[in-house]
Amino acid sequence: MLQLLTITLSLLTLLTTTTLALPTPSKSNSKVTTNTFVLNGLPAPTGTLKYIALGYGTQNYSCAALNDAPVSIGALATLYDATSILSHGAIGAASIPKMPALALSMGSGLGLPTLGHHFFSAAGVPTFSLEAAKPAALLSAKKVADVVAPTNSAPNSVDWLFLTDDGRGVSKHLNAVYRVETAGGKPPGVCSSVGTVTEQYAAEYWFYD
Ligand SMILES: *[C@@H]1O[C@H](CO)[C@@H](O)[C@H](O)[C@H]1NC(C)=O
């Protein structure tokens, strides 16, 4: 409860210190709204929204030689459950474009409960394991669309993506995920050292089934 309060206060502080205008409160509070994210050119979702996760972790790159372009070799992130905060209401809607940048600047998952993990399998498959979901869910994914982050994103933000089940028959209770509202994660354009480069990033992952 205290954690939730802290998150809410952090977000409120962030909101009130920006020029963002909160929408006028609706006269009727009986109307349930379902918030959505900006597609930024990605294909529209099909299916049902299941979870919204805040991902915080690293994007990994390999540098074979000085001045090479870094090559992406995967990612490792904790997925925090932001579903109840972001999926409805005016504060949720206003927080959607702000939460990952806040997480990156604070260097944490903002005290949200852990929902699962994002990693690359031994075979290099982007995988999302929502082990705290009920029932536990898994998405073994393949990338189907990729757009650059909007120009108003945090500096060096990785692309926004749309990934779907890769058809290997191992996914459970999930069919697709969007990576949006990215903050950070992009390496320098050329390698200044040889070896693995890791870049901290945060993003929202919107899961559908
Ligand atoms: C990415 O980097 C992290 C932190 O160094 C490491 O724990 C993880 O195994 C790496 N994953 C991949 C796929 O390179």
Side-chain angles (χ1 to χ4, degrees), residues 58 60 73-76 120 198:
T58 67
N60 300 1
I73 54 168
L76 185 67
F120 279 59
T198 66

Side-chain angles (χ1 to χ4, degrees), residues 57-76 120 156 158 184-201:
T58 67
Q59 293 285 325
N60 300 1
Y61 302 87
S62 160
C63 274
L66 290 181
N67 300 320
D68 274 10
V71 174
S72 175
I73 54 168
L76 185 67
F120 279 59
N156 305 315
V158 286
K186 248 194 192 167
V190 294
C191 298
S192 57
S193 62
V194 173
T196 303
V197 177
T198 66
E199 298 287 342
Q200 295 293 323
Y201 87 107

